[in-house]
Amino acid sequence: MTGKTGIHVFTEETLREHDEEIAVKVHQATVVSTTRKLLKMNSGQQLNAARNNCESLLWNDEQLNTVLDHIDKL
């Protein structure tokens, strides 16, 4: 047995720091992903994406969970 219970105890301050670290990493991954998608599009495709509130650039649940799983391993 490894002794790892998977239980984490945070104070309000450390929880906030942890949340901020995750938010920064997700934001960085989102910016890179969105930039790559936009660079592959022509100007008309970019305008269409903008008209639809950029929904075509949003991640689906699977992509988001993949990034979060990767962050958990860091």
Side-chain angles (χ1 to χ4, degrees), residues 28-43:
Q28 290 170 340
T30 303
V31 169
V32 169
S33 173
T34 303
T35 301
R36 286 180 180 157
K37 285 181 184 178
L38 286 170
L39 289 173
K40 291 178 183 178
M41 294 179 179
N42 62 40
S43 57

Side-chain angles (χ1 to χ4, degrees), residues 48-65:
N48 284 335
R51 284 188 193 121
N52 296 327
N53 202 21
C54 299
E55 288 182 19
S56 63
L57 300 175
L58 296 177
W59 288 354
N60 61 33
D61 289 343
E62 184 179 332
Q63 287 174 299
L64 182 58
N65 286 329

